[in-house]
Amino acid sequence: MAPAIVDDIMVKLENPTVKWITVAACVGGGGYLAVKMSLFRKNPFQVFSGKTGAMAKNLVDSGISSYNEFFNQEDGKGVGDKKLSTPEFVNKFYSLITDFYEYGWGESFHFAAREVGESFEKSIIRQETAIAETVGLKAGMKCIDLGCGVGGPLRNIVKATGAHVTGITINEYQIERNKLLNKAAGIEDLSDVVCGDFMDLHKVFKPNTFDAAYSIEAMCHAPDTAAIYKQVFKVLKPGALFSSYEWLRTNKYDPNNKLHVDVVDGIAKGNALPDVRTIEDCIAAAKSAGFEVQYTFDRATTGGVPWQAAMKSARRAAYLTHILTGVLEFLRFAPKGTQAVHTMLLKAAVNLEKGGDLGIFSPIRLAHLIGKRVHLVIGLSYLPASLRIVAPPTAENSLLGSVANDADRPLLLGLPFICRYPEMTCSRSAVISATRRKPTPGGAFCPPPSFALLRMSDWKICA
């Protein structure tokens, strides 16, 4: 029976019309299965229909051309004198590629080192909750996500910690995606998103607004690392913590090695980076902003599966996407320039892989910083040999510091907050030595305005 059926099918396939209908059905069915079986994370016909991200259909081609021209690198020296215009082109970058990223990678636009046997999705979430732990996020705290993208990390961190997280992104289309996805995730009450340039945080938020801050692979877009760190410093409360996953050159990078230079330049051009820095650059920038650097750690060196392994598997599907974008553009279903955008992303992916394989680049070097060094001004009629500052039982901070004393001025205690949470083991007081000088005028307890949030009236000063 079966051979007879097969013979009948073969005879019918000799008819050219039947043959082409069969081929079309097979191609269409194969494409449908590819979409449904996660070769694509999203339906490509929805993603590339009419526009790419926030950019109108007729602007995509000119948009990618101007982007490529701006981010041409100068042999390891970044974009040169054009650096200050970076935010404008970062916005253009995300208008061009947000849908590609979300479609091909997911809602969290970052990397993660995986454990053997761990799924890509779980490694991404683990990477996000890890940075939340470094800044001590918990329910009741207010945190800022700097460069939040479409909010994948923000949503996972809110769910894991119960903290309130405000995201900021320069791209209006990403704001739309954030609001839609946050509502679907049911976290609207614990999240907010703001459209703005994180180089100008002071124009968006008041000083001392947030209990913590984090950035996941976004500071790399800043044209000036010290300037962005200073902006973060301003909006943090005294003693707040800030952690950032940074895209950096490692100490294996050789500026005299052409391959190294070309790879890192390719990473920068394909990811809207004005340049690629080192951890030493970040440490110096953090200190100049007023932060104390607690530690740095390269998470790319952890895990049994290198971070770039995900790029290799994603790139296989990306080649199919590349063909598809070309076909859709040819049929005028996708705007002109769509395939050029994807070409740029493919080149970036290749260079990211090479950077990881050579060990000259890391996208997940953690910089963990402690916030403001708080100063307490005390006016005493008589300066004893030592003072003891005693925290009230409800205080979440302990003090450790040194005296800077001038005979004609109130005693100035430089007191960095070294311990934030009551459950941590730390001293509740600090003995501060001072050289006896002539009496200082006054006698009133005069904390600066920022101390209102610490209820300084509950603190005791013991001579």
Side-chain angles (χ1 to χ4, degrees), residues 137-154:
L137 269 191
K138 59 183 180 180
M141 293 178 66
K142 291 178 63 179
C143 179
I144 183 169
D145 179 331
L146 297 145
C148 63
V150 297
L154 181 152

Side-chain angles (χ1 to χ4, degrees), residues 153-280:
L154 181 152
R155 286 183 287 279
N156 290 328
I157 287 173
V158 166
K159 291 175 183 178
T161 66
H164 185 284
V165 181
T166 298
I168 183 169
T169 172
I170 199 170
N171 188 264
E172 290 183 3
Y173 179 65
Q174 291 187 339
I175 294 291
E176 293 176 20
R177 294 294 299 147
N178 259 288
K179 290 179 177 178
L180 182 66
L181 295 169
N182 290 352
K183 182 177 181 179
I187 64 160
E188 289 176 292
D189 292 342
L190 288 174
S191 64
D192 192 15
V193 284
V194 177
C195 190
D197 184 354
F198 60 23
M199 297 301 296
D200 293 315
L201 287 177
H202 69 285
K203 295 180 180 179
V204 184
F205 304 106
K206 294 179 180 179
N208 305 323
T209 296
F210 297 102
D211 301 301
Y214 67 82
S215 179
I216 299 180
E217 303 182 28
M219 296 282 105
C220 53
H221 293 304
D224 185 327
T225 311
I228 180 57
Y229 283 179
K230 287 176 182 177
Q231 289 293 312
V232 178
F233 189 89
K234 288 177 182 178
V235 300
L236 287 176
K237 293 179 181 179
L241 300 175
F242 167 45
S243 286
S244 178
Y245 289 141
E246 297 284 355
W247 281 34
L248 302 173
R249 288 179 279 128
T250 72
N251 57 12
K252 292 184 179 180
Y253 174 84
D254 180 0
N256 298 313
N257 184 316
K258 189 177 187 306
L259 174 61
H260 289 193
V261 172
D262 289 346
V263 166
V264 170
D265 281 355
I267 290 171
K269 182 176 180 179
N271 293 279
L273 311 186
D275 53 21
V276 181
R277 298 136 192 166
T278 65
I279 189 59
E280 290 78 18

Side-chain angles (χ1 to χ4, degrees), residues 380 382 384 386-388 461-463:
L380 297 175
Y382 177 73
S386 67
L387 292 177
R388 187 162 57 92
I461 305 173
C462 307

